[in-house]
Structure formats: structure tokens, C-alpha cells
């Protein structure tokens, strides 16, 4: 059984295939609609955290492909509390053809994959956000016509989004410069894992240095879901990493700006940049739909 838990589980050839499939499904949708290749299939969506993009894009993707999606809230499932994860996985596998899960602990989505007899998709964990990375790469591919050889600069907190971005960059031949303050950088094991995948990874505490040769400038919230108690402390440390007009002037003029959203405008990104001519934020958000259609069709439709 194939799952989609981490980008690192996928080869370059498979990721290229998924990106081509995503572009095809996007074009097909925009030319009148997708064929109902997942007709009769149901995706169970387990959410332990809030979501706009992940929830709506998976739901709409299933609808466009002829299937259906079920939203299962934290209160209903009580994953690992009301019922054990192996039991939830096996019960759900009898009802649905695929499971998407947004969890706190990465081990929980891995346990679902271990016990389910249907494909399991990671819709974000504290460790990684692989569906986001696929939409990011689709957006970069659309804009530049290629991914290999590009330099991505990531500014701010090194988190789940950074890790999946790094894994996708490694597999697809882009390089990554991460600028983050001391204490919020990749742990040594994460650096080793990414470099082990062949990633050209540069780490610094200097935002300007990171963006100087960047084709893509990426940022995310300083306080991820589950870290809310630290938000005041984080707001004091991260301002030098804000993606603002001054910083953009230090980057090549062709550089584009990405953000997985939700944005905390005025913190990690300014309105001027988020709504400016170099921003691809809303194309990137829409691409969640198209990238995830490819993942769904690949895993549940055998394409
Ligand atoms: N980018 C992203 O995953 O957004 P949501 O948290 O709204 O799903
Ligand atoms: N790093 C963020 C991403 C949100 C899509 C979080 O985990 O909250």
C-alpha cells in the first residue's frame, strides 16, 4: 500500500510524475472539468488542527474527481484518546478508500499508514507538510518553467514547511538557503537528513545573505499551530527575518515570493510584499487543489 507521508519517501521520478499529473489535471479542470476518475471513492479527512486550504482543497478535489470527502473533527475522532490509532485506521479502512490526516505528532500519521489498508496522506504534522511542498514546486515549475538549478531562500522559523520544502528541493534539484535566528534552526539530524538526500543547503542567521542569489523567497508563520504559548517570545526574535520591501531590494529583481499561508501580515511578511508584483501567494494556494488531485489520483486511482 502506497501512502503520502513524506516527500523523502518518493523518488525524483515519482515526484516528476506527480507534478506532470498535477499540471495535466489543472489544465483539464480549466478546460471544462476533470474526468470522474475517483467516482464512488470517499476520502476520510481527520483534522486535529484548524485548516482552510487543506480542508477545502481536498474536499473540492474529491468532488471534482467524482468522489466525496468526509470531514472528521478532533472532537469526533479523538485520535488515540477515544479510540486507539490502529483501531481508527482499521475501522476507517472499511468505510473509505483513502485517509487524509492533519495531526500534531508525526508518529500518529505514520501509525495510521501502518495500520490502514487504504492510502494515507499527511495533511500536515509538526514534522512535515508534504502536500504543501508539492503545491510549492508546482508553482515554481509554472513560473520558471523548471525547478532544477533554482535557489530557494527560506526565512524565519525552520519548521514542518521548511523540512518538506527542503526534501522537495533535494529531490528536484533546487538549492535551499535558510536564514533563521539561533535556537530556531534545523536540528543537526535534520541537516544530516537533508544533506543525505543531496540537498545543497546553506544555513545562516543573515536574511540578506540568504536572499542575495535567490530565485524564490519563502516564509511561513513564526508561531506554528500548537506553539501559541511561545508567540510573544517568538515575536521578539524574528523581526530581522521579515519579508518586506527593503529585503526584496537585496534580492535579484526576478525573485518571486511564496508563503504557505495563513500569513500573519505585519509579522513574517508585509502587505506590500504579499500583495505586490513579486508575490505568487494566491497561485500557490490554488495549486494546493491541483497538486493534491495528482496525489489522490495516483494513490486512489492508480494513475
Ligand atoms: N497552508 C496550509 O496548509 O493552510 P491550512 O492550514 O489553512 O490548511
Ligand atoms: N508551520 C505552520 C504551517 C501552517 C500551514 C503550522 O504548522 O502551523
Amino acid at each position: 500500500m502506497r501512502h503520502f507521508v513524506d516527500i523523502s519517501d518518493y523518488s525524483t521520478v515519482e515526484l516528476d510524475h506527480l507534478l506532470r499529473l498535477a499540471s495535466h489535471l489543472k489544465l483539464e479542470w480549466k478546460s471544462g472539468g476533470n474526468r470522474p476518475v475517483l467516482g464512488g471513492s470517499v476520502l476520510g479527512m481527520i483534522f486535529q488542527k484548524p485548516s482552510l486550504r487543506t480542508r477545502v482543497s481536498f474536499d473540492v478535489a474529491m468532488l471534482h474527481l467524482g468522489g466525496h470527502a468526509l470531514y472528521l473533527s478532533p472532537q469526533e475522532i479523538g485520535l488515540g484518546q477515544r479510540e486507539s490509532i490502529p483501531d481508527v485506521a482499521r475501522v476507517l479502512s472499511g468505510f473509505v478508500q483513502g485517509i487524509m490526516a492533519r495531526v500534531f505528532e508525526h508518529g500518529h500519521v505514520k501509525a495510521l499508514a501502518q495500520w490502514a489498508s487504504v492510502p494515507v496522506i499527511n495533511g500536515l504534522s509538526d514534522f512535515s507538510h508534504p502536500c504543501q511542498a508539492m503545491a510549492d514546486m508546482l508553482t515554481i515549475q509554472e513560473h520558471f518553467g523548471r525547478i532544477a538549478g533554482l535557489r530557494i531562500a527560506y526565512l524565519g522559523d525552520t519548521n514542518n514547511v521548511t523540512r518538506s520544502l527542503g526534501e522537495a528541493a533535494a529531490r528536484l534539484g533546487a538549492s535551499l538557503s535558510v536564514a533563521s535566528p539561533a535556537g530556531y534552526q534545523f536540528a543537526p539530524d535534520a541537516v544530516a537528513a537533508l544533506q543525505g538526500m543531496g540537498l545543497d543547503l546553506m544555513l545562516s542567521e543573515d536574511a540578506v545573505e540568504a536572499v542575495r542569489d535567490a530565485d524564490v523567497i519563502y516564509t511561513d508563520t513564526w508561531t506554528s499551530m500548537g506553539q501559541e504559548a511561545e508567540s510573544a517570545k517568538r515575536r521578539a526574535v524574528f523581526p530581522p527575518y521579515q519579508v518586506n520591501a527593503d529585503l526584496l531590494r537585496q534580492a535579484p529583481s526576478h525573485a518571486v515570493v511564496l508563503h504557505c499561508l495563513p500569513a500573519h501580515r505585519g509579522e513574517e511578511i508585509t502587505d506590500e510584499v504579499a500583495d505586490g508584483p513579486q508575490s505568487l501567494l494566491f497561485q500557490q494556494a490554488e495549486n494546493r487543489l491541483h497538486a493534491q488531485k495528482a496525489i489522490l489520483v495516483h494513490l486512489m486511482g492508480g494513475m
Side-chain angles (χ1 to χ4, degrees):
M1 178 59 53
R2 200 77 170 107
H3 304 288
F4 192 77
V5 173
D6 276 303
I7 297 284
S8 56
D9 301 331
Y10 278 69
S11 68
T12 302
V13 170
E14 288 173 300
L15 295 175
D16 276 337
H17 168 71
L18 284 176
L19 288 174
R20 271 200 303 276
L21 189 53
S23 298
H24 163 75
L25 291 165
K26 181 172 183 177
L27 191 66
E28 186 182 68
W29 168 249
K30 296 202 182 257
S31 321
N34 294 125
R35 289 179 302 122
V37 290
L38 295 184
S41 290
V42 177
L43 179 74
M45 305 194 298
I46 299 174
F47 279 94
Q48 293 192 310
K49 295 177 178 178
S51 171
L52 167 62
R53 278 144 292 271
T54 306
R55 177 179 176 179
V56 178
S57 57
F58 269 109
D59 199 331
V60 170
M62 286 304 292
L63 192 74
H64 288 177
L65 295 165
H68 186 78
L70 275 181
Y71 171 74
L72 302 162
S73 71
Q75 293 76 18
E76 281 161 320
I77 286 272
L79 192 68
Q81 287 169 352
R82 180 171 184 267
E83 197 159 359
S84 79
I85 293 176
D87 286 0
V88 169
R90 287 174 290 180
V91 169
L92 266 181
S93 296
F95 296 144
V96 300
Q97 287 66 51
I99 297 170
M100 193 284 300
R102 167 166 285 195
V103 300
F104 287 91
E105 280 182 49
H106 195 57
H108 288 179
V109 70
K110 286 180 84 158
L112 283 169
Q114 184 188 338
W115 289 95
S117 54
V118 299
V120 171
I121 299 169
N122 175 7
L124 180 148
S125 71
D126 287 346
F127 182 80
S128 60
H129 198 1
C131 294
Q132 181 66 52
M134 293 308 290
D136 302 340
M137 291 297 148
L138 180 60
T139 309
I140 292 170
Q141 170 71 42
E142 286 175 344
H143 184 80
F144 290 100
R146 67 191 170 103
I147 296 166
L150 297 178
R151 177 161 291 279
I152 303 169
Y154 179 94
L155 272 63
D157 187 30
T158 41
N159 58 21
N160 43 9
V161 167
T162 332
R163 182 188 309 273
S164 293
L165 185 68
E167 292 182 0
R171 287 284 192 257
L172 298 167
S175 27
L176 183 67
S177 301
V178 180
S180 42
Y184 297 93
Q185 297 165 343
F186 275 133
D189 61 338
V191 173
L194 289 169
Q195 288 177 336
M197 291 175 71
L199 181 64
D200 172 7
L201 178 63
M202 277 185 32
L203 303 172
S204 84
E205 290 183 33
D206 185 341
V208 172
E209 187 187 320
V211 302
R212 197 163 277 135
D213 302 319
D215 303 294
V216 177
I217 298 170
Y218 200 122
T219 191
D220 182 19
T221 180
W222 297 335
T223 302
S224 285
M225 291 179 278
Q227 299 172 332
E228 289 77 7
E230 296 175 23
S231 67
K233 190 176 111 193
R234 286 167 172 266
R235 264 199 294 272
V237 172
F238 281 104
Y241 302 88
Q242 183 188 64
V243 178
N244 54 37
D246 280 347
L247 186 75
L248 275 200
R249 276 191 281 277
Q250 308 297 318
S253 56
H254 71 265
V256 295
V257 176
L258 298 182
H259 188 314
C260 58
L261 303 178
H264 303 76
R265 287 163 174 261
E267 294 190 13
E268 75 275 5
I269 194 165
T270 59
D271 287 338
E272 195 180 6
V273 171
D275 301 326
Q278 288 167 272
S279 166
L280 298 183
L281 268 52
F282 298 99
Q283 179 182 340
Q284 178 188 10
E286 185 194 311
N287 278 339
R288 292 292 303 277
L289 173 68
H290 309 298
Q292 285 156 204
K293 278 182 185 171
I295 296 165
L296 291 166
V297 164
H298 183 59
L299 293 178
M300 295 165 67
M303 284 169 73

